[in-house]
Amino acid sequence: MTRLRTAVVGAGQRFTEVVPAAAAAGRLEVVAVVDPSPAARERAAALLPAARLHADLDSLLAGDVPGAGAEAALVLTPDWTHAEVGTALLRSGLHVLVDKPLATTIEGADALLAAAEASGRLLYAGHNMRFMPVVEVMRQVVEDGLIGTPRAFWVRHFVGRGGDYFFRDWHAESALSGGLLVHKACHDLDAMSHVLGTSIQAVQAIGTNAVYHGCEPRPEGRAVPEVVNDVTHWPPSALTDVNPAMDVEDLSLVNLVCSHGVLGAYQQCCFTPDYWRSYTVIGDAGRMENVGDSAGEGEVLVWNRRRHGFDAEPDLRLPLVEGRGATAPVCEGRSGAHDAADAAMLADFAAAVLDGTAPRTSARTARDVVAAGVLARRSMHGGGLLPVPEPRVGTRSTT
Ligand SMILES: NC(=O)c1ccc[n+]([C@@H]2O[C@H](COP(=O)([O-])OP(=O)(O)OC[C@H]3O[C@@H](n4cnc5c(N)ncnc54)[C@H](O)[C@@H]3O)[C@@H](O)[C@H]2O)c1
């Protein structure tokens, strides 16, 4: 089977999930890795001894065989670098998967769309949630007409690891992450756009920093602590070493106007005791919601007959099982992080480049959800309902 010769740019934490997923996907051969950090390059050498290592993009793209002959690249660098790194790779003729969020600004996302259009190369949005069972099952429920025509979605995002993950390091600085309505919400807004077959047209939001602004800041000169998921860090108000430059919200409520008359709500709280996502989708002939969001631990419940009052027993229970989605790409050994979604996504990327199949993710939707997050934060400061502008290039809107 032909394999896609691929360079990976950025060899941090995400790299350690993506490399095994690429192996499980079976159709990618990682031929080069780029990272300015010597420690990261050492990690890469241990995981991928045959790959060529580069300290920067210029070195990857120079030489007799640029990019070690790579035809494609995976961008796994921090969010604020996505636009610059991704456009450079597209311009040099590679097909590019950019991990979420596509960018941290509307201008950055638009630059990526424009570079893809100019180069004729594939810009693939790394929205792996589209390959998670909870999203696959919900999309299937809509496609099968089990709740009629979808009219509304409500997302409750319980970000229980908020403090440890997002309020100590760069994520707490909007200039670097775009804010958590870009960095985190992009996943769910993309997933809901996919499930309902809709696109976001306007947003309005309120938000605040209710807890972490009051925490003990990291003293000058002390290193950012390792990212941990430590359940003894409780209550959230007792967290120490928070980023002193923090300027992002930890509590946000967003209203969304979408195409096809759909209205949505996205609610994010970064100091909950639990970590999961709750989606409710209401159609004109039923509603569904998930309880738990991981394979083996959750299910999608569908109520599509009328009752008198509360009824805990739905009309349909759809357990979340790995590889359950009817449209999941065939992928040997769907294993690894994120419910094997990463492997399925990488198989979909490889198939799109090698076989010309339609990608399941959408760069245009990824751009629109970045715009929604940016504009939602802008609207918090007296902006009201803000329309999501069309991108500079005339990319077709797909969900
Ligand atoms: N899709 C998902 O589920 C998911 C999960 C986690 C992280 N992510 C995304 O993955 C990306 C990386 O996150 P991470 O946690 O691995 O970050 P990280 O900080 O652990 O690693 C980033 C690596 O990129 C390197 N880097 C920085 N600038 C670079 C450049 N210009 N060229 C090459 N390398 C460069 C850094 O040295 C570092 O080794 C982020 O955008 C994040 O949002 C996605």
Side-chain angles (χ1 to χ4, degrees):
M1 191 194 285
T2 316
R3 298 214 294 165
L4 184 63
R5 291 172 66 79
T6 306
V8 182
V9 187
Q13 183 274 332
R14 182 77 177 126
F15 177 85
T16 61
E17 297 171 347
V18 167
V19 167
R27 297 198 70 191
L28 291 99
E29 181 187 357
V30 179
V31 294
V33 177
V34 185
D35 201 302
S37 150
R41 290 200 300 278
E42 255 176 55
R43 178 169 43 236
L47 272 176
L48 295 164
R52 281 203 204 176
L53 302 177
H54 300 271
D56 55 47
L57 264 194
D58 288 347
S59 147
L60 172 81
L61 300 173
D64 296 341
V65 190
E71 305 153 69
L74 312 179
V75 177
L76 311 181
T77 56
D79 302 12
W80 72 90
T81 66
H82 286 183
E84 192 183 338
V85 171
T87 51
L89 290 162
L90 285 163
R91 283 190 193 127
S92 67
L94 274 70
H95 302 283
V96 180
L97 179 153
V98 178
D99 212 321
K100 53 60 57 181
L102 191 62
T104 52
T105 62
I106 302 174
E107 296 73 22
D110 284 355
L112 281 165
L113 295 187
E117 185 157 290
S119 67
R121 295 296 187 264
L122 175 65
L123 169 63
Y124 188 101
H127 275 292
N128 52 350
M129 282 200 68
R130 290 195 181 203
F131 299 85
M132 291 185 183
V134 63
V135 173
E136 289 180 327
V137 168
M138 286 191 149
R139 181 163 160 109
Q140 197 64 51
V141 167
V142 170
E143 276 181 2
D144 291 347
L146 295 176
I147 58 167
T149 303
R151 297 291 185 200
F153 66 85
W154 304 335
V155 178
R156 294 183 303 155
H157 194 174
F158 308 108
V159 189
R161 298 168 202 152
D164 290 328
Y165 277 52
F166 306 118
F167 290 88
R168 286 178 148 175
D169 66 7
W170 59 268
H171 293 92
E173 295 177 52
S174 60
L176 302 179
S177 65
L180 299 177
L181 286 184
V182 174
H183 178 82
K184 291 298 283 175
C186 69
H187 266 309
D188 308 280
L189 298 181
D190 180 76
M192 288 295 100
S193 299
H194 180 57
V195 166
L196 283 88
T198 191
S199 58
I200 301 170
Q201 296 182 328
V203 295
Q204 174 269 328
I206 53 174
T208 186
N209 191 304
V211 170
Y212 296 111
H213 258 165
C215 290
E216 191 181 307
R218 188 173 64 251
E220 217 181 308
R222 188 185 294 174
V224 178
E226 277 284 298
V227 175
V228 289
N229 182 17
D230 187 340
V231 293
T232 67
H233 287 179
W234 190 258
S237 56
L239 193 76
T240 58
D241 291 313
V242 299
N243 184 339
M246 176 191 312
D247 69 345
V248 302
E249 304 73 34
D250 59 15
L251 182 60
S252 306
L253 312 181
V254 185
N255 292 318
L256 302 112
V257 178
C258 304
S259 62
H260 307 105
V262 168
L263 296 182
Y266 170 85
Q267 311 186 339
Q268 181 189 84
C269 179
C270 296
F271 47 88
T272 54
D274 48 351
Y275 184 95
W276 70 292
R277 297 167 151 103
S278 162
Y279 300 138
T280 296
V281 179
I282 306 177
D284 57 13
R287 77 174 181 94
M288 64 175 157
E289 67 183 54
N290 62 299
V291 179
D293 61 4
S294 308
E297 292 174 1
E299 51 187 355
V300 171
L301 311 179
V302 180
W303 289 264
N304 54 12
R305 280 182 308 112
R306 186 162 168 193
R307 29 275 263 178
H308 287 292
F310 173 69
D311 183 358
E313 196 47 49
D315 296 301
L316 203 56
R317 287 179 178 273
L318 301 166
L320 301 180
V321 180
E322 236 171 57
R324 147 149 211 142
T327 54
V330 177
C331 169
E332 278 172 39
R334 290 186 73 181
S335 61
H338 298 114
D339 285 331
D342 287 332
M345 176 182 73
L346 292 166
D348 188 57
F349 173 58
V353 174
L354 295 171
D355 310 332
T357 54
R360 188 187 294 185
T361 70
S362 158
R364 170 60 199 269
T365 303
R367 175 270 183 197
D368 285 349
V369 301
V370 167
V374 168
L375 294 167
R377 294 194 72 242
R378 205 173 287 167
S379 115
M380 287 174 186
H381 308 288
L385 183 70
L386 299 180
V388 172
E390 283 294 306
R392 280 184 285 119
V393 290
T395 324
R396 197 165 48 89
S397 180
T398 58
T399 54

